[in-house]
Amino acid sequence: MKTHPLRRGGLIALLACLIFAPLVALAVDDPSEMLPDPAQEQRAEAIGAQLRCLVCQNESIEDSSADLARDLRHVVREHVAKGESNQQIMDWMVNRYGNFIRLKPPFTIGTLLLWVMPLLALCIGIGIAWWTFRRPRAPTPPPLSDEERRRLSDLTETR
């Protein structure tokens, strides 16, 4: 018995949903990790949005589904529940993981050097190239006189 093409397409779509639905469900965070107080939860989310997932690198811990990000979200929520200020929580995270944990690290001499070094290297390279090409070259010797040509001819003549 032949099946209708739309029915076959529906079966394929249903099968695809059954296969891919668990993958989508893995990215959803566990609601049990949320704080019961909505104000504290909002504070924890705001702090988490400023912290880098150390696994994903350019994703906040609030956006990441990595295990480490989940653990860091839990730590942030513990500190918020204890009543610590945002600054105290950020200081604790920076003391533990360094400034790399911040998605927007503070402007320091180190970050200044990080941004200026490529420009400095480019300027040094241009300076070296300019100095190299600007140096006077050895002067070209004057053309040979008739007497010098005759002597050279005599010396190079094969006998």
Side-chain angles (χ1 to χ4, degrees), residues 102-138:
R102 295 175 184 243
L103 276 172
K104 294 179 183 173
F107 187 74
T108 62
I109 191 74
T111 53
L112 175 67
L113 287 174
L114 185 66
W115 286 99
V116 171
M117 286 305 239
L119 293 173
L120 185 62
L122 180 66
C123 290
I124 289 172
I126 289 172
I128 289 172
W130 177 76
W131 181 76
T132 301
F133 290 115
R134 172 183 126 349
R135 284 190 315 185
R137 299 178 190 256

Side-chain angles (χ1 to χ4, degrees), residues 76-113:
V76 167
R77 281 163 176 76
E78 280 180 355
H79 286 273
V80 168
K82 286 181 193 174
E84 294 181 17
S85 71
N86 292 9
Q87 188 61 46
Q88 287 174 317
I89 298 169
M90 289 298 285
D91 289 345
W92 187 90
M93 287 290 195
V94 169
N95 286 337
R96 177 90 186 232
Y97 298 103
N99 266 329
F100 184 74
I101 190 85
R102 295 175 184 243
L103 276 172
K104 294 179 183 173
F107 187 74
T108 62
I109 191 74
T111 53
L112 175 67
L113 287 174

Side-chain angles (χ1 to χ4, degrees), residues 19-76:
I19 291 172
F20 293 112
L23 297 177
V24 174
L26 290 175
V28 175
D29 293 326
D30 185 12
S32 67
E33 73 180 48
M34 295 175 65
L35 292 170
D37 182 9
Q40 285 184 333
E41 178 61 28
Q42 190 174 14
R43 255 187 73 215
E45 287 176 7
I47 294 168
Q50 298 172 29
L51 296 172
R52 179 188 320 270
C53 172
L54 300 171
V55 175
C56 307
Q57 306 254 333
N58 278 332
E59 207 173 16
S60 75
I61 63 171
E62 289 298 318
D63 297 332
S64 175
S65 59
D67 289 340
L68 180 61
R70 186 186 67 242
D71 294 343
L72 290 174
R73 283 193 301 268
H74 182 71
V75 168
V76 167

